[in-house]
Amino acid sequence: MEKHLPILRLVRLFTGIEEDAIPPMLNCLGARTKTYRKDAFVLHAGSRPEGLGLVLSGSLFIMHVDHLGNRELRAHIPPCGIFAENFACAGNAEMDVSVIADVESEIMWLDVGRILTTCTNACQHHTRMIRNLFADIARANLLLNEKLTHVSRRSTREKLLSYLWAESRRQGSTEFSIPFNRQELADYLCVDRSAMSAELSRMRKDGLLLAEKNKFALS
């Protein structure tokens, strides 16, 4: 586990925890790692995760597919991100989404039951981790609310502008990259890809933005 310390120091779950305290905590929390190839299912809809996952390398998509096969991209989990924490903390609730590897990804799994049950070995660090966990769950809920704001817009143009301006504010620049290709962006905004591509072309002609693959510049 020592080789993972540089990336674990950047994971919000370990914020405020001294580096030399992390290895014994990982042992206490039953940490294990597994590598998933691109497009592999990390978790399937209908499963009941007992642990939360940390992305050590690579990235993941959280995807919902309805009974008609319609895809909705709920979230993108980058390196240092955590996932499945809300389902695991809800008493192993059944997932209504799948987690899929965007690229080959290495995941560390931690036992949520051990996180939520304080121990006698490093209670100060353990208590901090619990606070960090619930802060991360709150942050994930805020991002979901933000997504709902985007997809609730009436037109494809309004959805695109809502999302792109939110990304611009988040990244502090009117020139930025997004973690989605065109199909993934359409799935995230719950719109048809062809219609979205046509709307992006019209927005370029109207002088609202410049777009090249996943790079955008807003006017």
Side-chain angles (χ1 to χ4, degrees):
M1 297 296 179
E2 296 286 343
K3 68 176 182 178
H4 298 304
L5 283 178
I7 189 73
L8 290 173
R9 285 165 45 207
L10 303 176
V11 175
R12 287 192 295 262
L13 193 63
F14 293 99
T15 297
I17 296 175
E18 298 172 2
E19 183 175 327
D20 60 0
I22 295 177
M25 291 187 74
L26 294 178
N27 183 61
C28 177
L29 299 175
R32 56 187 176 86
T33 62
K34 184 175 180 179
T35 299
Y36 299 83
R37 69 182 186 280
K38 175 179 170 59
D39 296 327
F41 279 80
V42 178
L43 289 169
H44 286 271
S47 62
R48 298 177 183 271
E50 296 180 357
L52 62 83
L54 312 178
V55 181
L56 299 175
S57 65
S59 59
L60 309 174
F61 288 133
I62 310 298
M63 186 75 68
H64 178 266
V65 181
D66 68 17
H67 65 286
L68 297 175
N70 298 312
R71 291 158 52 98
E72 178 196 352
L73 182 53
R74 291 279 178 89
H76 175 260
I77 311 298
C80 303
I82 75 173
F83 64 95
E85 68 279 19
N86 48 350
F87 294 101
C89 288
N92 308 131
E94 182 177 299
M95 296 185 65
D96 64 340
V97 294
S98 294
V99 182
I100 303 169
D102 175 29
V103 296
E104 182 172 282
S105 304
E106 185 177 14
I107 307 301
M108 175 177 287
W109 294 98
L110 300 178
D111 187 320
V112 164
R114 296 188 187 186
I115 294 177
L116 298 178
T117 304
T118 56
C119 62
T120 58
N121 293 327
C123 59
Q124 180 180 355
H125 298 306
H126 205 141
T127 300
R128 181 57 188 262
M129 175 173 279
I130 292 172
R131 292 204 305 269
N132 290 343
L133 174 60
F134 281 99
D136 199 89
I137 291 173
R139 190 177 295 109
N141 285 334
L142 291 174
L143 290 175
L144 180 58
N145 285 336
E146 182 180 283
K147 173 182 163 63
L148 292 175
T149 296
H150 305 327
V151 301
S152 66
R153 303 298 185 185
R154 292 181 179 273
S155 69
T156 298
R157 176 174 292 203
E158 290 174 338
K159 291 179 181 182
L160 283 164
L161 287 174
S162 178
Y163 170 71
L164 292 173
W165 276 112
E167 280 299 312
S168 174
R169 290 191 296 271
R170 184 176 293 110
Q171 298 186 38
S173 174
T174 55
E175 297 183 12
F176 55 91
S177 297
I178 65 173
F180 307 134
N181 61 31
R182 287 288 188 269
Q183 183 60 62
E184 292 159 357
L185 179 58
D187 290 340
Y188 180 78
L189 294 176
C190 302
V191 297
D192 177 76
R193 176 183 174 177
S194 296
M196 185 193 74
S197 295
E199 187 59 51
L200 283 171
S201 295
R202 287 191 288 268
M203 292 168 73
R204 280 193 292 263
K205 291 179 181 178
D206 291 343
L208 295 175
L209 54 76
L210 296 175
E212 182 179 355
K213 295 184 178 179
N214 69 330
K215 296 180 180 179
F216 290 84
L218 298 177
S219 301

